[in-house]
Amino acid sequence: MVRTPYGAVRGRREDGVAVFRGIPYAAPPFGPHRFRPPVPPDPWDGARDAGAFGPTAPQPPYSEAFAEYLADPVVPGDGCLNLNVWTPQPGPAARLPVLVWLHGGALTRGSSGVPVYDGRTFARDGVVLVSVNYRLGVEGYGLFPDAPANPGLRDQLAALRWVHESIGAFGGDPGRVTLAGQSAGAISVGALIAAPQAQGLFHRAVLQSGPPEAADRDKVRRMVRRMAARLKVPATAEAFAAVDREVLLRAQAEAGRLSSPILGGPAFGIVVDGDLVPRDPLQALVEGDAAVGAELLMGWTRDEYRLWLVPGGLLERVDRLGAVALAGAMARCRCGHEVPRGYRALHPEAGTAEIVGQLVTDHLLRIPLHRLAEARPGSSYVYEFAWPSLRPGLGACHALELGFVFDTGEVPESAKLSGWGAPRELAEEMHSAWVRFAVDGDPGWQAWDTSHPVRILGDGEPRTVHGPRDGEFDLWAADAAARASAPPVPVPEDGAAGRGAELRSVVRLLRRGAVRGH
């Protein structure tokens, strides 16, 4: 039993580790609290049972195509602002390092209850693991004229404050907190690194396959307006709060069905709000404005895009479209013809789908993380996960590294992506590196410098390679320089002709193909 600021919680002993699940860090975000910043939970008397995961945030289910690869357990209930703690030694005397985990899922899906995120291996190795649920989709990232922006990110900040106040009683040291996340969780980590209100709440960070970024406010508004049109209500928080939760989720799923990382489109995201997110997080970090001045561990998988294209058969469809798909990728990435030509020269054996996927991956993930490492030499550690899944077509896809980081490859939910028989030695290598980083800020390889060291994990023996993607990054730098020096391109008077309209039609064609595949 451990006492928190709001009451005592009673956990369980499992394989020598103390586990506390479903601890509320804020009040249920419904009723008067819906679409509002989180507020503290009501205190309770006696010992609250913490043996089971708490409610998950409302979210639509994955499509059948994606559910084949990704686990997404649902726990019903209103109290979705909860967290879990795995610790080897409860009590204030331990003062162990802490790792706080933010799950991915495009800010619309996911939870801390996914079995892949089981924290027992971190606790076994002397690190207190905290995993967090937070609001998702329109509940957490809808943009309304009558409510504050980014309530889901504010949930995460509230959870960090809970950790700062409470983790000592669970054996953790509030002065040694690492904030970590993957995909949308990593995007959240990037925003919190740059958030002035998060200063002092964590001391180093891990960004896996997600860069610091701010979404275009109009893109988020378009999602809300699409939902409002389907619901036949005004695009306000007051009107949305009056809609049944399940009806709201169906409208959200329908409004977002044409959007994806490859194809773009309206989506939910963290936006600049002048408060918690005062400016674009990547720009703030590159210019040295950050809450965390210590170490960063960040990286990507070699074939991120394959999780976005393989389910539903979109990979083959993109290959068949050929030049049309490349034109759509150029529109998505806002790059000139020389960039895909350069990729063809660097990878002459690659098909169209691979070129398109790597273009978009570099644009969305690798280039922003590369910029961040360049801005923080000596304290940034970069990796590339390169082990190909045993499941056909996935390669080293997005999210595949998670079972290795948590060393949970034996659970069925990990095997959904990896297949059975993933290499134990790779899990031991990666998990140990993340533990070392949480303990002392050094995962065990060379920090970023002018030689651009990248740790390659899963392609033979772990090794450090210098500048493995510099050729691609140089293409983007040259393209940016050419665009900066080029004279403005005149826009046709009718507004319908020209390359812009043509590329928009290409992207629409690709999206229709994605819908048929899903």
Side-chain angles (χ1 to χ4, degrees):
M1 187 170 69
V2 173
R3 181 163 293 279
T4 78
Y6 307 107
V9 291
R10 187 181 300 280
R12 303 287 188 275
R13 280 279 179 187
E14 300 176 4
D15 299 325
V17 170
V19 186
F20 302 82
R21 297 181 175 93
I23 304 173
Y25 65 84
F30 298 102
H33 305 310
R34 200 171 187 190
F35 299 110
R36 298 292 163 182
V39 297
D42 291 334
W44 58 86
D45 296 325
R48 182 188 184 105
D49 183 72
F53 287 112
T56 50
Q59 55 192 281
Y62 282 117
S63 68
E64 184 177 344
F66 278 92
E68 180 182 345
Y69 299 101
L70 300 173
D72 200 14
V74 173
V75 180
D78 287 349
C80 60
L81 301 187
N82 59 72
L83 51 78
N84 318 294
V85 180
W86 285 261
T87 176
Q89 189 178 342
R95 308 291 288 183
L96 296 169
V98 180
L99 192 144
V100 177
W101 178 253
L102 302 179
H103 67 79
L107 299 177
T108 57
R109 295 177 175 88
S111 79
S112 64
V114 175
V116 180
Y117 307 146
D118 192 298
R120 68 186 185 279
T121 56
F122 279 97
R124 175 199 68 196
D125 294 330
V127 176
V128 178
L129 192 287
V130 180
S131 60
V132 179
N133 281 344
Y134 54 93
R135 278 175 282 184
L136 302 169
V138 71
E139 302 277 0
Y141 297 94
L143 192 55
F144 299 101
D146 56 338
N150 301 315
L153 189 67
R154 296 173 191 275
D155 295 342
Q156 297 165 4
L157 180 65
L160 284 171
R161 287 173 171 154
W162 183 96
V163 169
H164 186 74
E165 296 170 358
S166 308
I167 204 63
F170 292 85
D173 183 350
R176 301 170 68 196
V177 175
T178 298
L179 181 61
Q182 184 267 346
S183 192
I187 293 171
S188 302
V189 170
L192 290 165
I193 297 171
Q197 294 180 39
Q199 290 190 19
L201 297 180
F202 59 101
H203 310 88
R204 54 182 63 104
V206 180
L207 296 92
Q208 298 175 214
S209 301
E213 67 176 23
D216 183 282
R217 292 176 68 93
D218 187 58
K219 183 194 294 190
V220 180
R221 285 196 188 98
R222 290 205 308 273
M223 272 291 287
V224 173
R225 289 168 184 157
R226 284 185 178 186
M227 291 182 63
R230 284 168 169 78
L231 295 167
K232 297 181 172 54
V233 300
T236 65
E238 181 182 15
F240 274 48
V243 176
D244 176 81
R245 206 176 303 176
E246 293 302 317
V247 173
L248 200 63
L249 287 176
R250 287 196 294 272
Q252 177 182 306
E254 178 64 21
R257 70 187 178 91
L258 298 182
S259 300
S260 81
I262 291 286
L263 305 176
F268 294 111
I270 296 165
V271 298
V272 173
D273 59 18
D275 175 24
L276 180 56
V277 187
R279 57 184 300 209
D280 180 88
L282 180 61
Q283 201 63 35
L285 293 172
V286 167
E287 295 176 5
D289 181 9
V292 175
E295 304 84 7
L296 299 180
L297 171 59
M298 50 190 165
W300 47 76
T301 72
R302 182 167 291 179
D303 307 310
E304 299 271 4
Y305 68 95
R306 286 184 171 268
L307 184 63
W308 307 325
L309 291 183
V310 168
L314 190 57
L315 189 79
E316 294 80 7
R317 195 168 291 115
V318 170
D319 264 335
R320 287 198 301 271
L321 285 169
V324 176
L326 276 176
M330 289 168 57
R332 174 81 170 101
C333 301
R334 302 183 183 92
C335 67
H337 289 280
E338 292 305 315
V339 177
R341 284 176 187 156
Y343 274 65
R344 286 286 194 199
L346 289 169
H347 306 282
E349 76 292 345
T352 299
E354 182 174 352
I355 296 294
V356 167
Q358 297 292 8
L359 272 172
V360 176
T361 298
D362 285 348
H363 171 68
L364 292 178
L365 299 178
R366 295 192 184 112
I367 290 172
L369 291 175
H370 179 267
R371 289 183 62 198
L372 184 54
E374 286 283 82
R376 301 167 71 92
S379 61
S380 299
Y381 299 86
V382 179
Y383 72 89
E384 177 169 296
F385 179 82
W387 181 77
S389 171
L390 299 174
R391 300 205 59 184
L394 287 180
C397 69
H398 191 68
L400 181 59
E401 87 283 11
L402 291 169
F404 295 87
V405 168
F406 281 84
D407 193 8
T408 51
E410 79 285 356
V411 304
E413 289 78 7
S414 284
K416 285 167 76 81
L417 267 185
S418 67
W420 291 107
R424 286 284 308 122
E425 62 275 11
L426 179 57
E428 292 168 1
E429 172 71 24
M430 291 191 68
H431 175 71
S432 297
W434 266 243
V435 167
R436 287 192 297 267
F437 185 77
V439 170
D440 60 19
D442 183 350
W445 61 84
Q446 182 182 348
W448 191 264
D449 59 21
T450 56
S451 70
H452 299 174
V454 177
R455 191 71 165 176
I456 306 297
L457 299 161
D459 182 7
E461 288 295 316
R463 65 195 188 280
T464 299
V465 177
H466 297 272
R469 295 192 176 271
D470 282 3
E472 290 91 339
F473 296 157
D474 288 346
L475 290 169
W476 290 95
D479 182 74
R483 288 172 174 274
S485 61
V489 177
V491 177
E493 289 184 7
D494 63 7
R499 182 171 175 274
E502 177 187 348
L503 291 179
R504 283 193 293 274
S505 69
V506 167
V507 173
R508 283 196 294 271
L509 174 63
L510 285 171
R511 286 181 184 149
R512 284 199 295 273
V515 172
R516 285 197 299 272
H518 290 71

